Amino acid sequence: CLITLGMDSINLSNISGTAQATVGTCNYVSPEGFSSISITSYFSDDEDAIQTMVELACQSKETLDVGEVACWYDDGHLEVQLAQGKAFLDIFITSSNDTTAIGETLAENAVAKL
């Protein structure tokens, strides 16, 4: 990660009771400026809150066979949202290349490291 925007704690009470999550963001912009990746991660001891987050995000969305639950958040395959255990990830891609392949690869690699 070239740029880290730090970690913060947020309240997830609107999703699940008194749940808390630690949130961090990592961004990468290619030197040529044509491609970028942003990954926002939410980690919570309340796995139900994580599952609720991904279920709400993925309602009526195209699913992805990665992690416990995953989907393309948009029709253009620029954003993947997924849950794995105590983690919820939001991966956003801008590229002139195949964002579907990039998103699938990033999601698979992220899940493998969780």
Side-chain angles (χ1 to χ4, degrees):
C1 180
L2 294 182
I3 302 170
T4 302
L5 299 178
M7 300 292 279
D8 200 5
S9 181
I10 63 168
N11 185 327
L12 299 177
S13 61
N14 60 332
I15 294 173
S16 180
T18 60
Q20 297 281 318
T22 301
V23 182
T25 302
C26 176
N27 297 297
Y28 171 79
V29 178
S30 72
E32 294 81 27
F34 298 115
S35 300
S36 67
I37 299 165
S38 175
I39 301 174
T40 303
S41 57
Y42 300 78
F43 294 96
S44 177
D45 288 333
D46 188 335
E47 287 187 43
D48 290 338
I50 295 296
Q51 288 303 313
T52 300
M53 285 176 69
V54 77
E55 287 167 10
L56 290 171
C58 289
Q59 258 179 354
S60 304
K61 306 288 184 186
E62 181 183 349
T63 60
L64 199 63
D65 191 23
V66 176
E68 294 167 358
V69 178
C71 67
W72 291 107
Y73 194 68
D74 68 314
D75 293 335
H77 290 188
L78 300 175
E79 188 170 5
V80 175
Q81 299 205 339
L82 69 88
Q84 178 69 33
K86 297 179 178 188
F88 174 88
L89 301 180
D90 179 16
I91 303 169
F92 185 79
I93 307 129
T94 58
S95 178
S96 57
N97 295 314
D98 183 359
T99 56
T100 300
I102 294 167
E104 288 172 348
T105 300
L106 286 170
E108 289 167 0
N109 288 335
V111 167
K113 294 186 183 298
L114 291 173

